[in-house]
Amino acid sequence: MKKVLFIDEKKYRFAHYYENKSWWIENGVNPIFKDYEKKINKYKIYSGLLLNRPDYIVIVQLSTKNLILLQLASLLRIKVIFWQHGVFEYPIIVKAIFKYLPMKLSSLLALSEHDIEGISSIFGEVKSSSVIKHYDLAKLNFSKEEKTEDELRVAYLGQIVTSKQVYGSGATIMEKYLGDFDLFNDLIEEIEAKQLPITIFAKKHPGDKSHYLEELAQRYKCVALAEKDEIFNCDAALSYYSTMMLAFMELNKPVIQLPMTNGNFRLDLKHYDVNNNLTRVKSTKEFLHLCLNLQSQELEEVNQNQFQSISKNLIKVFQGE
């Protein structure tokens, strides 16, 4: 049985991304889940490598802590797998010291060929790489819900972008993107004022500790808080640079990208847009014009059996080596 150490910044993500421990054991893997939430944890993880000596380490962030872990793994001849859970801004900047150290990956699972190229650029060697579909789609229960003929359901994929969210969540890393341009709030006010047949199903970001979305849902009838399964029943998606936008593109559904509150689009997502589903909007006028087109648009449904969980993708890697 292969021993695999799973590493993440946050503890809650293990249940979000992966199957439970019994599933892994049934598939020949003894999983060890470790997080960096407490400052002392990284030292426990580093020292634990000598004691546990896993066959594989699985990481999902290119943080300094993980790059140090990667160096230790190289010395101990432990294979490291990186799978991409979020979108990146290229080129990826790492501390200068890592450019002169051996940086090797046993396997890279990324969301596009563009990402494989961008992520591989910081490593001296990547033994194998492959493109994966969005990791959430395989776990969803899709169902069609009844709605009126002219109703448009738009999923808002929540992120931490407004000052209320940034400071309420302690996400000060996002301060540089802050401004006074809250287009999402403007869209809601316009929908409400004109009583348009558009409902916004808002999914809150797991790290958002503010009450921004709850307050919007209480104030406006056109906003409803939603869970993950519910949002994928929507006709289109609306967000800034959420990885879940990729899932909607893979489902061949329209995706609307909003600028950050400083008025700039943080990331270019065009390389994911293989079906021409992505549209950037900069004003309420552009958004409403797009919605009119979406209401009359018919899109071909995709085969939902093609999606695999990240756990199954990782099992393939373990079995293939």
Side-chain angles (χ1 to χ4, degrees), residues 42-307:
K42 63 181 178 181
Y43 302 109
K44 290 181 178 179
I45 290 170
Y46 297 157
S47 59
L49 284 187
L50 294 170
L51 300 173
N52 294 315
R53 288 291 181 106
D55 299 294
Y56 293 90
I57 298 174
V58 177
I59 59 175
V60 299
Q61 290 101 7
L62 297 174
S63 63
T64 298
K65 294 188 288 287
N66 275 341
L67 295 180
I68 292 172
L69 183 68
L70 195 143
Q71 302 302 319
L72 295 174
S74 179
L75 291 172
L76 297 172
R77 296 185 179 180
I78 299 170
K79 295 176 180 178
V80 178
I81 299 170
F82 176 83
W83 70 269
Q84 184 186 3
H85 86 294
V87 292
F88 286 103
E89 187 173 3
Y90 299 109
I92 297 172
I93 307 299
V94 298
K95 289 188 176 180
I97 187 173
F98 293 112
K99 296 178 182 178
Y100 304 100
L101 294 173
M103 299 270 284
K104 296 180 181 180
L105 279 182
S106 175
S107 185
L108 167 62
L109 305 178
L111 295 167
S112 72
E113 292 291 349
H114 180 80
D115 290 306
I116 287 177
E117 182 181 349
I119 296 168
S120 297
S121 67
I122 71 168
F123 295 98
E125 180 183 353
V126 177
K127 289 186 177 179
S128 68
S129 61
S130 59
V131 175
I132 57 173
K133 299 288 186 182
H134 191 279
Y135 42 86
D136 275 334
L137 292 174
K139 299 185 292 182
L140 298 174
N141 296 314
F142 297 94
S143 62
K144 289 189 176 181
E145 297 181 0
E146 294 295 324
K147 64 172 189 172
T148 60
E149 188 175 343
D150 62 343
E151 182 186 5
L152 184 68
R153 296 184 175 187
V154 179
Y156 173 71
L157 313 176
Q159 294 187 265
I160 302 172
V161 294
T162 67
S163 57
K164 181 177 288 187
Q165 291 173 303
V166 168
Y167 297 118
S169 307
T172 52
I173 193 172
M174 297 297 294
E175 281 182 323
K176 59 184 177 181
Y177 302 108
L178 288 178
D180 300 321
F181 183 53
D182 188 355
L183 181 55
F184 178 57
N185 188 81
D186 294 345
L187 299 179
I188 293 171
E189 289 182 349
E190 190 80 0
I191 293 168
E192 193 85 357
K194 294 184 177 179
Q195 297 185 338
L196 299 173
I198 301 172
T199 303
I200 304 293
F201 288 84
K203 181 191 176 297
K204 190 172 184 177
H205 188 279
D208 186 357
K209 297 180 176 63
S210 74
H211 299 290
Y212 173 75
L213 285 181
E214 289 89 344
E215 291 171 2
L216 288 179
Q218 290 176 354
R219 195 181 312 145
Y220 301 105
K221 293 180 181 179
C222 64
V223 179
L225 297 180
E227 297 299 325
K228 189 179 295 180
D229 282 4
E230 294 175 277
I231 63 172
F232 283 103
N233 290 321
C234 291
D235 306 298
L238 176 72
S239 195
Y240 303 87
Y241 59 96
S242 170
T243 314
M244 292 187 73
M245 296 165 74
L246 279 56
F248 274 82
M249 293 185 211
E250 290 172 3
L251 290 171
N252 197 28
K253 293 191 176 188
V255 175
I256 304 163
Q257 186 177 13
L258 297 175
M260 304 293 284
T261 58
N262 65 1
N264 298 322
F265 292 95
R266 183 180 174 187
L267 292 178
D268 186 351
L269 304 178
K270 289 178 183 176
H271 55 278
Y272 299 113
D273 188 23
V274 295
N275 297 316
N276 294 319
N277 297 117
L278 179 66
T279 305
R280 285 181 166 185
V281 297
K282 298 179 181 179
S283 66
T284 55
K285 183 179 179 180
E286 289 180 1
F287 173 75
L288 295 178
H289 177 73
L290 179 62
C291 287
L292 285 174
N293 293 333
L294 295 181
Q295 285 172 322
S296 59
Q297 189 175 358
E298 290 188 15
L299 297 170
E300 184 180 346
E301 293 187 6
V302 302
N303 177 13
Q304 294 165 6
N305 295 324
Q306 67 177 297
F307 304 118

